[in-house]
Amino acid sequence: MDSEPSCSSQARLVCKYGSGCYRKNPQHRREYAHPDKDDKEDEEDGCPPAKKVAVDSSLQQVPPLFYVTKVRGIDEHYNSSSLAISLKDILAMGELVASAQFNYMFDVPWIIDQYPPSKRATPLLLVHGEHADGLTRLKMACKPFPNISLFQAPLKIPYGTHHSKMMLLLLDCGMRVVIHTANLIEKDWDQKTQGAWVSPLFPKEPSGPSTFQKDLLDYLTAYGGTGLDVWKQHIREHNMDAARVHLIASVPGAHTSSSMHQWGHMKLRKVLSQHGPPASRVDKDWTVIGQFSSVGSLGTSSSQWLCSEWLTSLSACREAKLLGARSFPQLQLIFPSVENVRSSLEGYMAGGSIPYDRKVAEKQSYLTGYLCQWKAEHCGRSRASPHIKSYGRVSPDCTQLAWFLVTSANLSKAAWGAMEKQASQLKIRSYEIGVLFLPTDDGLLSVATHLDSFPNPEIAVPVPYDLPLTQYGKKDRPWMWNGTYTEPDSHGRLSHASAEQSPVILLALSSVLEREEWSAKEKQSARRQIWRCDLLHIIVEVLRQEFTLVPGQWGTAAKLATLLSNVCAGLKPKLSEQQNVSGENADQITEYYDILLPTVVDSLLILANNLMELATAYVAKGDPQPHFLTVTDALTWLCSNHQQHCIQRALQSPYLLNVLISDEAAYSGTALRFMAKMLEEYPGVFSLLPSETMQSVLDELIYKISGADDQSALPALDLLGAFVYYRVTPLDNLLLGYKGLSVVISKWNKHRLGLNAAQLVAALEARVASDQEAARMDSAAVLIQASWRGYMSRKKMKRVQRGICRFQQMYRRWKLDKEKAKQGRTQVTSRPVHTAQREFHERQIATLRLLPAREVDAFVKKQEDHSISKIQAWWRGVLARKAFQERKVTALRTRSASVIQKAVRRYLHERRKKRATTYPKLTCAERDQLLQEVQQMREEQPSTQSSEQRLQLHDQVQQLLGDFYANLRSVRHRDEQRYVLLARLMEDSNQALSAPSLCHASDELVELFTSGSRVVASMAEMAHKEELKAMQLPWWKKSSVEGGPNGLEDSIMDFLS
């Protein structure tokens, strides 16, 4: 993607002289644009005007974020701009005016190539630590580039290095700071895992010095001299408040007093103690993790430095006490194992950047118990050798981080510093620099595992390794760069090869076998002698080394491969020939067939792979393809003479599959021809291959057939036809596994095909015709079955409809019968009631007929009084039973309230007693011991305030505490009053809602309902409800209500009186 215009190219004014401007002042060129002249200069630099720098536009404005560097040889998904960055991407962020590179190693021509073409002449400062011969070589490398200036960092203590890795980039619209972990050499930015923090764009504006800005200026000042004064002035002129990280640096020297807490692990301890997460959020279950690429001498026991002062600093938290030996958290250290290096993208070559001396490792064997393997599957960098250095503290569930540090410091005393003279000074030997990520607002950092999007570094950090960590196994050993390893690496190379002249000496054996005066029997005897002298094993080991420095280079390797194949192909010892020899020779013959020959096959395939990679990487002098063909011919000759022992081994080898999947037709075609020849000579061997291997071969063949349009796909098509012809893969399985294969192969019908390919095409055409006829028959069967299912479905639906109609008729009949039965029961039940009422009226009429007329009213009055008494007696019984239940509930509530109140009073009494407890006073000895501990803590962590400031702060705190406790009682009293008032308002609102309307209330009632007394309001409400109930009673109940219409008011007045 082309880069977007920078912030200056859009704002610059066009010079009035245009392309005819003669001024050479760089400041004039930055302030005014010269369109035609600028374009012409860009074209002279080899960059077209419209396409200056190929850099991802999403990186033009980079937020403060931690990146890993891009890695060649992994899936490009893991090199996305949200996760990875390259040196070219960093240097192309804006219009560069000047830059400074702080580093340990420099490849000057390569560095210049990483700059945009138009910026390769801008001022560049290299800050280094070279001296003597190294300084001479560096000056010679910089001589062709007049824009480069050098600054030598003073190394005050022996064995120290300038190991810091930082970039200062001055842009026309601001400034950036980049802190990373890679040397400025090509291999460090190619296939290694590195880390880089890219700052936000710091604007050029006045501001107060931020913590990051002050620390950066202190670090540059520690170099001394005047060589960095210009850059210190640039830093002062820019606003760096946007840097949300802390700078953790190391400078050589014996630091004492306050400067001791300014560098190394003591600076990290200070920052974590002042700004880190509180100890309440981070306990000892949080693991401290260290990840590095080099190990120094740490002492003979872990308590000397690693698990004492260094782990104390990395375990620091805010508001935490000093840790004892038993309070340290768990420590886990990530360092590449031998297997990590061997299987890496670079192989054993990666071990050169992981210095750990064997003699040092023998003195500190305890370190292996803390080591974990390098694994980074989530970001695709498990095979990218780690050169990054990072440290952090992770939660037990591996989802949160207390802090995270990216730095140039490895695990060594020289980098972090070591306490000396009874912990009164910190001695550091090397320059180091790093950035510390801390959470904000007493929070925690999250571990970002999904790396497809930009994580916010104030919330989440993309940790470059997998969590949880994987401990070393029983067979795992840490990588040591001066160790001896005999197992080949991912490129088939050994870590320690033979001398440079060994291949040439061994190659002299070929002249012995090529003597014309020798007979076949004498040559066979020579082959046996070579075998018995164990020269075949030596040749196999020599073939696995690097041939770049060998005379003849890879041509010598190809000749050795031919020699090895010639000897093994002509050597076929049989047990029948050794009837009179001892059993040891029989064991040697068995080893020859079962071990040596498969090893020779692997060695030849590894050599062929190396030659192919040299050709595809364009690093070989000359064309390696003839050597590749020589090696494959030697392999073919060997497998043809030892079919039973070599062919299966060769076909199962992943190196042969690697050649087969090559995009270069010359190399993949050689592998196809080799497999076709082996299939003709030994067809049954393919049936012995694992299904995974056969599936991989078939996938690659189909890919080549479907993806190519030229003659390069014909060998793959011919091999596929041979598979079908020899029944290695049945045609039915082939068509079933690869849909549309017949269509793909049919396009090759017009080409001139081989016998096997022509037979495959004919078989596919016959199968297509057969499949079409079968498809027509299937279509007819489907049509017939659909018609029959439709007929059966319609028939079934008619039966269902008839059943539903019959069911509805039966339900209606049942419902009608039920209604009739209910009416009959009602008539039968109501008949006795009507009969009793009629008999009662008849008796009443008969009695009235017998009485005289003057006694009828008295009789009727007597009967009414009797009825009223009886009804009222029954009703009083009902009310009495109801009131008894209510009184029972009220009594239960009263008892419950009494029990609760007693319990509350008892609890409050006990609480007051506890608060009133007096603590024993300190004895004189205890007081002296406490004063000593306080004095020791003050000495270890000196305060930045003076004694007068502390006394003033103490008085202010005492004054605030006094004011607080003085106002505490009044505040509580006001809170209680507010709660009581709210309760009264709630009660009054409830009373108002239940009150009668004003038209039915007297003056006394209005006064009562507006009263503030809860008791009066409650009694008024109860009396009001009783009056309402009395008004709704029938006439025969009202006679028992005493007091007349004013009974409600009277009862309330009696209560109040």
Side-chain angles (χ1 to χ4, degrees):
M1 183 179 295
D2 298 343
S3 63
E4 297 293 331
S6 66
C7 54
S8 65
S9 63
Q10 295 177 351
R12 287 190 300 171
L13 298 175
V14 179
C15 179
K16 63 180 180 179
Y17 298 104
S19 59
C21 180
Y22 63 92
R23 299 184 64 179
K24 304 295 185 181
N25 188 352
Q27 183 65 26
H28 174 75
R29 300 300 302 276
R30 287 195 294 270
E31 294 176 354
Y32 294 92
H34 305 77
D36 297 335
K37 196 169 184 178
D38 291 344
D39 294 345
K40 183 177 180 181
E41 290 178 356
D42 290 337
E43 292 175 354
E44 291 176 356
D45 289 336
C47 184
K51 194 175 182 178
K52 291 186 177 180
V53 182
V55 61
D56 196 333
S57 61
S58 63
L59 296 172
Q60 292 299 315
Q61 298 295 332
V62 179
L65 189 69
F66 166 64
Y67 292 88
V68 291
T69 56
K70 294 182 178 179
V71 176
R72 180 176 60 85
I74 66 174
D75 190 349
E76 285 304 314
H77 167 71
Y78 299 113
N79 285 331
S80 62
S81 60
S82 62
L83 168 65
I85 198 169
S86 66
L87 183 56
K88 285 187 175 181
D89 294 334
I90 296 174
L91 298 176
M93 295 177 183
E95 287 292 317
L96 193 65
V97 177
S99 59
Q101 298 286 354
F102 296 69
N103 219 294
Y104 176 59
M105 299 176 68
F106 298 87
D107 183 354
V108 177
W110 179 82
I111 295 173
I112 296 299
D113 288 341
Q114 305 312 302
Y115 279 81
S118 60
K119 303 303 176 185
R120 291 174 183 172
T122 56
L124 171 60
L125 174 66
L126 301 183
V127 182
H128 63 92
E130 298 288 350
H131 58 278
D133 293 341
L135 180 58
T136 302
R137 289 192 296 269
L138 183 59
K139 289 182 177 178
M140 291 297 295
C142 296
K143 192 173 182 180
F145 308 98
N147 61 309
I148 296 181
S149 57
L150 298 178
F151 179 84
Q152 185 178 13
L155 296 172
K156 305 175 183 179
I157 303 179
Y159 306 108
T161 60
H162 181 261
H163 201 249
S164 296
K165 297 170 176 62
M166 177 174 66
M167 306 180 195
L168 301 179
L169 306 178
L170 182 64
L171 309 175
D172 61 347
C173 55
M175 183 178 181
R176 289 192 194 277
V177 179
V178 180
I179 295 177
H180 58 101
T181 63
N183 292 300
L184 290 178
I185 57 178
E186 183 177 5
K187 69 176 185 178
D188 270 28
W189 295 81
D190 186 21
Q191 291 186 316
K192 298 183 187 298
T193 300
Q194 305 280 8
W197 174 78
V198 181
S199 76
L201 183 63
F202 299 135
K204 189 175 182 179
E205 59 185 23
S207 65
S210 63
T211 303
F212 178 85
Q213 190 175 22
K214 180 180 179 299
D215 291 343
L216 185 57
L217 287 172
D218 291 342
Y219 176 74
L220 296 185
T221 304
Y223 281 87
T226 60
L228 299 177
D229 289 348
V230 175
W231 283 101
K232 287 190 285 186
Q233 183 61 30
H234 288 323
I235 293 173
R236 294 189 187 99
E237 293 174 353
H238 288 79
N239 185 350
M240 296 188 175
D241 294 338
R244 304 300 183 184
V245 295
H246 293 265
L247 201 67
I248 307 296
S250 298
V251 296
H255 307 285
T256 59
S257 64
S258 60
S259 65
M260 183 173 63
H261 297 273
Q262 192 176 359
W263 313 108
H265 70 80
M266 295 301 293
K267 173 63 178 296
L268 178 61
R269 182 188 300 186
K270 176 183 176 182
V271 174
L272 292 178
S273 300
Q274 295 179 353
H275 306 286
S280 59
R281 301 289 302 274
V282 180
D283 55 23
K284 66 178 182 180
D285 293 332
W286 287 57
T287 304
V288 174
I289 295 178
Q291 181 270 312
F292 39 85
S293 61
S294 176
V295 184
S297 179
L298 309 179
T300 56
S301 67
S302 61
S303 60
Q304 290 185 358
W305 182 81
L306 179 68
C307 292
S308 55
E309 60 182 270
W310 186 76
L311 188 55
T312 301
S313 296
L314 271 70
S315 305
C317 293
R318 184 156 46 92
E319 305 171 357
K321 299 180 180 179
L322 290 178
L323 298 175
R326 297 182 179 179
S327 301
F328 282 126
Q330 181 185 5
L331 175 64
Q332 290 184 315
L333 304 175
I334 304 174
F335 188 75
S337 64
V338 175
E339 182 61 23
N340 289 146
V341 176
R342 189 188 69 82
S343 60
S344 66
L345 294 172
E346 299 173 275
Y348 286 128
M349 300 295 291
S353 301
I354 309 175
Y356 188 21
D357 190 78
R358 182 172 56 187
K359 293 181 180 179
V360 175
E362 291 173 355
K363 296 178 182 179
Q364 49 195 34
S365 58
Y366 61 88
L367 194 64
T368 307
Y370 299 98
L371 295 182
C372 300
Q373 296 185 22
W374 168 257
K375 288 189 176 181
E377 293 294 336
H378 76 285
C379 59
R381 282 164 171 76
S382 290
R383 295 187 62 207
S385 178
H387 193 260
I388 185 175
K389 297 90 178 169
S390 60
Y391 303 83
R393 193 166 183 185
V394 66
S395 62
D397 59 353
C398 298
T399 60
Q400 292 180 315
L401 287 169
W403 52 269
F404 187 76
L405 172 67
V406 181
T407 177
S408 61
N410 284 300
L411 187 64
S412 67
K413 296 180 181 179
W416 289 95
M419 304 297 292
E420 295 180 345
K421 297 182 180 181
Q422 297 181 351
S424 62
Q425 75 175 21
L426 180 70
K427 189 173 184 179
I428 301 176
R429 298 180 183 271
S430 299
Y431 290 91
E432 308 285 353
I433 194 166
V435 289
L436 176 66
F437 296 90
L438 286 177
T440 57
D441 300 329
D442 291 342
L444 295 170
L445 298 173
S446 298
V447 177
T449 56
H450 300 285
L451 302 175
D452 294 335
S453 59
F454 263 111
N456 187 347
E458 297 181 8
I459 303 174
V461 174
V463 178
Y465 42 80
D466 292 342
L467 293 174
L469 302 181
T470 303
Q471 292 278 355
Y472 271 26
K474 294 182 179 180
K475 297 183 180 180
D476 290 327
R477 293 294 180 269
W479 167 260
M480 303 171 199
W481 66 348
N482 54 356
T484 302
Y485 311 107
T486 58
E487 192 173 357
D489 63 4
S490 58
H491 297 274
R493 297 188 294 260
L494 297 177
S495 62
H496 292 277
S498 304
E500 297 177 0
Q501 297 299 326
S502 298
V504 180
I505 296 172
L506 291 172
L507 197 59
L509 294 173
S510 59
S511 61
V512 176
L513 297 177
E514 294 174 357
R515 290 182 180 179
E516 297 180 357
E517 63 271 16
W518 279 18
S519 63
K521 187 175 182 180
E522 289 175 335
K523 292 182 179 181
Q524 185 69 10
S525 177
R527 292 189 182 95
R528 287 182 179 275
Q529 194 64 28
I530 292 173
W531 167 45
R532 290 171 182 172
C533 292
D534 207 21
L535 292 178
L536 294 179
H537 287 92
I538 296 176
I539 297 174
V540 168
E541 295 299 329
V542 168
L543 282 178
R544 295 187 177 185
Q545 75 174 21
E546 180 70 36
F547 279 84
T548 305
L549 302 178
V550 175
Q553 295 188 348
W554 294 99
T556 303
K559 293 178 182 178
L560 275 179
T562 304
L563 171 63
L564 183 61
S565 176
N566 186 7
V567 175
C568 294
L571 185 60
K572 299 181 180 179
K574 298 181 181 179
L575 287 174
S576 59
E577 299 177 2
Q578 309 292 333
Q579 295 292 342
N580 298 323
V581 298
S582 62
E584 182 180 357
N585 288 334
D587 293 339
Q588 291 178 356
I589 295 172
T590 304
E591 181 186 359
Y592 172 78
Y593 285 113
D594 296 343
I595 299 177
L596 181 58
L597 287 180
T599 305
V600 171
V601 172
D602 291 342
S603 180
L604 294 177
L605 285 172
I606 291 172
L607 179 58
N609 261 266
N610 292 339
L611 290 169
M612 182 185 68
E613 291 180 0
L614 288 172
T616 55
Y618 301 101
V619 296
K621 294 182 179 179
D623 187 9
Q625 184 178 354
H627 306 319
F628 174 83
L629 295 176
T630 302
V631 174
T632 53
D633 290 343
L635 177 64
T636 304
W637 178 248
L638 176 63
C639 293
S640 299
N641 286 272
H642 293 283
Q643 298 178 354
Q644 185 177 358
H645 300 90
C646 295
I647 294 180
Q648 183 177 356
R649 181 76 173 194
L651 294 176
Q652 286 184 251
S653 175
Y655 300 104
L656 179 62
L657 183 60
N658 191 34
V659 177
L660 179 65
I661 64 177
S662 173
D663 293 333
E664 297 293 333
Y667 294 96
S668 60
T670 303
L672 291 171
R673 287 189 291 272
F674 170 77
M675 298 179 73
K677 185 173 180 59
M678 295 302 103
L679 181 61
E680 293 177 1
E681 294 184 358
Y682 195 13
V685 72
F686 281 87
S687 61
L688 303 177
L689 297 179
S691 58
E692 295 82 1
T693 303
M694 279 302 303
Q695 188 63 45
S696 299
V697 173
L698 289 174
D699 290 344
E700 185 61 26
L701 293 179
I702 300 302
Y703 170 75
K704 292 184 181 301
I705 294 171
S706 59
D709 295 330
D710 52 6
Q711 301 292 330
S712 61
L714 294 181
L717 183 60
D718 192 65
L719 181 58
L720 186 62
F723 281 165
V724 176
Y725 177 76
Y726 289 105
R727 300 186 180 277
V728 176
T729 302
L731 185 59
D732 294 338
N733 295 346
L734 199 61
L735 294 174
L736 184 62
Y738 300 96
K739 302 294 184 182
L741 179 62
S742 58
V743 178
V744 174
I745 295 180
S746 62
K747 69 178 182 179
W748 299 99
N749 194 14
K750 298 180 180 180
H751 292 74
R752 187 174 181 181
L753 304 176
L755 179 61
N756 294 327
Q759 292 177 352
L760 176 62
V761 172
L764 286 175
E765 290 178 351
R767 178 55 60 87
V768 169
S770 176
D771 291 344
Q772 290 177 353
E773 180 64 20
R776 191 176 66 83
M777 298 299 293
D778 291 342
S779 177
V782 168
L783 184 60
I784 294 172
Q785 291 177 357
S787 301
W788 173 254
R789 290 193 189 97
Y791 167 73
M792 294 301 295
S793 298
R794 290 189 294 272
K795 186 176 180 181
K796 189 181 295 184
M797 285 300 299
K798 290 181 180 180
R799 286 167 31 193
V800 169
Q801 290 177 358
R802 289 195 297 268
I804 292 174
C805 293
R806 187 174 179 184
F807 174 77
Q808 291 176 346
Q809 291 176 358
M810 293 175 63
Y811 176 76
R812 294 189 188 98
R813 192 180 300 112
W814 171 80
K815 191 173 183 181
L816 183 60
D817 294 342
K818 187 176 181 181
E819 290 293 335
K820 291 181 178 180
K822 183 177 180 181
Q823 292 178 1
R825 287 195 299 271
T826 302
Q827 293 177 359
V828 172
T829 304
S830 60
R831 189 177 294 113
V833 176
H834 295 161
T835 303
Q837 291 178 353
R838 187 170 55 254
E839 291 177 352
F840 173 76
H841 289 300
E842 289 178 354
R843 285 197 302 272
Q844 289 288 335
I845 293 172
T847 302
L848 291 175
R849 288 175 179 174
L850 295 176
L851 289 175
R854 63 178 178 274
E855 297 179 2
V856 171
D857 293 337
F859 177 76
V860 172
K861 180 65 176 175
K862 183 177 179 181
Q863 290 292 328
E864 288 181 355
D865 293 342
H866 178 70
S867 300
I868 290 172
S869 299
K870 196 169 184 178
I871 293 172
Q872 289 180 349
W874 175 81
W875 178 247
R876 289 191 189 95
V878 172
L879 294 179
R881 288 189 292 273
K882 186 176 180 181
F884 176 76
Q885 292 297 331
E886 293 178 354
R887 287 195 299 272
K888 185 176 180 181
V889 173
T890 304
L892 180 60
R893 291 178 179 175
T894 304
R895 288 195 300 272
S896 301
S898 177
V899 171
I900 293 172
Q901 290 174 355
K902 289 180 180 179
V904 171
R905 291 191 189 98
R906 192 181 302 111
Y907 166 74
L908 294 176
H909 179 69
E910 294 295 332
R911 187 175 178 182
R912 294 191 195 99
K913 287 176 63 178
K914 289 182 179 178
R915 288 183 177 180
T917 303
T918 58
Y919 296 95
K921 297 182 179 180
L922 294 175
T923 63
C924 294
E926 292 174 343
R927 186 182 297 104
D928 294 340
Q929 182 179 2
L930 182 60
L931 290 174
Q932 292 178 1
E933 293 178 358
V934 172
Q935 185 64 26
Q936 182 179 0
M937 291 180 65
R938 288 178 177 175
E939 292 177 355
E940 292 178 354
Q941 298 182 355
S943 175
T944 57
Q945 298 177 343
S946 63
S947 59
E948 296 179 356
Q949 292 176 340
R950 289 197 298 271
L951 290 175
Q952 184 178 1
L953 181 62
H954 176 73
D955 295 340
Q956 293 177 359
V957 172
Q958 292 294 332
Q959 181 66 28
L960 292 174
L961 287 174
D963 295 343
F964 173 75
Y965 284 110
N967 298 329
L968 185 61
R969 185 180 300 276
S970 60
V971 170
R972 289 180 178 176
H973 183 63
R974 286 198 301 270
D975 291 342
E976 292 176 357
Q977 287 182 340
R978 184 169 61 256
Y979 294 151
V980 171
L981 180 59
L982 289 175
R984 292 184 63 180
L985 290 174
M986 185 63 68
E987 181 68 23
D988 292 343
S989 63
N990 293 335
Q991 295 295 337
L993 290 174
S994 59
S997 60
L998 294 177
C999 61
H1000 298 92
S1002 60
D1003 295 339
E1004 292 81 0
L1005 285 176
V1006 173
E1007 181 181 357
L1008 290 174
F1009 277 97
T1010 57
S1011 173
S1013 173
R1014 284 195 185 87
V1015 179
V1016 174
S1018 300
M1019 190 61 193
E1021 181 183 10
M1022 293 170 58
H1024 174 67
K1025 291 182 178 179
E1026 290 180 358
E1027 181 64 21
L1028 290 177
K1029 291 180 180 178
M1031 291 173 62
Q1032 296 175 359
L1033 291 175
W1035 61 270
W1036 43 269
K1037 288 187 177 181
K1038 291 181 181 178
S1039 60
S1040 61
V1041 178
E1042 298 179 358
N1046 298 325
L1048 177 61
E1049 292 86 344
D1050 295 342
S1051 60
I1052 294 176
M1053 293 304 178
D1054 292 341
F1055 174 78
L1056 292 176
S1057 62

